[in-house]
Amino acid sequence: MIPAYFFAHGAPSLVLERHAYTDFLAGFAGGIARPKAIVLFSAHWERTEQTIGAVDAHETIYDFSGFQEELYRITYPAVGDRKLSENIQALLAKHGIPSGFDGARGLDHGAWAVLKLLYPDADIPVVAMSVNRHLTNEEQYRIGSALAELREQDVLVIGSGGTVHNLRRLNWRAGEADAWAEEFDRWLQGKLEAWDTEALFDYRNQAPYAQDAVPTNEHFIPLLIAMGAGSRNREAKLLHRSYQLGSLSLSCWQFD
């Protein structure tokens, strides 16, 4: 059974960079079984109803500006999987979670920037999933839990976001990680490894520097969803963590 994963996607330029995290992503696929399909929740696709991608082939969305021209020439033409999309809706409905389909939207950079490094040939079907910042943290986790059985079908469930993601706190001259960002991530690591959902759901009140690390929650939501998808054995493992610009965390979590 393939674990569920959370990947930080950093800036769109991640796909053009070369450092420890991109090296980790490039070598990731060799360490797990090849999935039959990928279900990916991106922080950059927000809807008030849980929405399921239902396209035949994905267009590449350039939902950013001011970056290198080369970025706007990158494509990730993965196909969709309508049968899987329907299966996802059935699983969500089974757990009382309403959802709808989107038959037009392609992959935003929260999806393709990571996938391009993980599976550069775009030869695995992808179903994109939205996130809803207005749900409780318990509800985010429950969405992931509803899809946990997809892992038994060799489907790779991914949440793509960032644990410390505050663009206003970026330090363009930083040579090392900011202490406050590391402290938040250490708190998070302890609660994830202990599978302390009570504390995690209340992270805004309990975690140090929570407001600095998570000023808005859309990038944190995919972590909770991925955790929920890996809730069967309740084992969390940090596979990588590094930082850019002082506080932009680049991490990968595995949930078994």
Side-chain angles (χ1 to χ4, degrees):
M1 182 167 60
I2 298 177
Y5 291 90
F6 169 82
F7 293 100
H9 60 247
S13 55
L14 179 74
V15 73
L16 299 179
E17 298 167 4
R18 181 68 188 271
H19 45 66
Y21 186 53
T22 58
D23 288 348
F24 164 79
L25 293 176
F28 171 83
I32 68 167
R34 181 178 172 83
K36 293 181 179 177
I38 298 169
V39 174
L40 190 146
F41 291 82
S42 170
H44 291 277
W45 186 15
E46 292 191 60
R47 292 289 186 273
T48 53
E49 177 187 54
Q50 180 59 62
T51 306
I52 305 162
V55 303
D56 293 322
H58 290 282
E59 295 183 356
T60 305
I61 301 173
Y62 306 101
D63 53 330
F64 48 82
S65 61
F67 287 88
Q68 304 96 313
E69 285 299 319
E70 184 180 353
L71 272 179
Y72 302 91
R73 296 192 292 270
I74 293 176
T75 61
Y76 197 81
V79 300
D81 186 331
R82 287 180 178 268
K83 184 176 181 181
L84 177 57
S85 297
E86 292 169 358
N87 186 19
I88 290 169
Q89 186 175 57
L91 288 173
L92 293 172
K94 180 180 176 182
H95 289 81
I97 301 168
S99 63
F101 294 119
D102 187 317
R105 194 179 191 278
L107 298 175
D108 59 61
H109 82 269
W112 64 258
V114 169
L115 292 175
K116 188 74 172 178
L117 291 167
L118 297 175
Y119 297 101
D121 295 331
D123 55 355
I124 299 175
V126 177
V127 173
M129 303 287 290
S130 69
V131 298
N132 180 358
R133 70 170 67 196
H134 302 292
L135 299 179
T136 66
N137 293 325
E138 293 92 336
E139 288 171 321
Q140 311 289 1
Y141 182 89
R142 191 161 66 91
I143 288 170
S145 298
L147 303 183
E149 68 182 73
L150 291 176
R151 297 167 48 213
E152 299 174 2
Q153 304 167 25
D154 295 326
V155 174
L156 174 59
V157 179
I158 292 175
S160 175
T163 58
V164 182
H165 189 276
N166 187 339
L167 301 184
R168 293 186 177 183
R169 293 297 303 270
L170 297 182
N171 183 351
W172 296 90
R173 297 182 179 180
E176 57 186 25
D178 291 339
W180 66 266
E182 290 185 305
E183 187 171 346
F184 175 84
D185 268 339
R186 281 195 298 270
W187 180 93
L188 183 62
Q189 179 176 355
K191 302 308 178 185
L192 287 170
E193 291 176 344
W195 213 271
D196 187 349
T197 53
E198 182 177 351
L200 286 166
F201 295 161
D202 191 39
Y203 74 91
R204 282 201 173 276
N205 294 315
Q206 298 191 29
Y209 302 102
Q211 187 58 46
D212 293 294
V214 190
T216 57
N217 69 343
E218 72 281 355
H219 277 78
F220 197 82
I221 290 168
L223 175 72
L224 296 172
I225 293 174
M227 186 186 186
S231 59
R232 181 158 299 178
N233 295 325
R234 299 194 169 199
E235 295 181 1
K237 183 178 181 181
L238 179 64
L239 300 185
H240 179 94
R241 183 165 64 214
S242 55
Y243 296 87
Q244 290 181 313
L245 305 175
S247 62
L248 184 62
S249 64
L250 300 176
S251 60
C252 173
W253 279 93
Q254 174 180 300
F255 299 106
D256 289 317

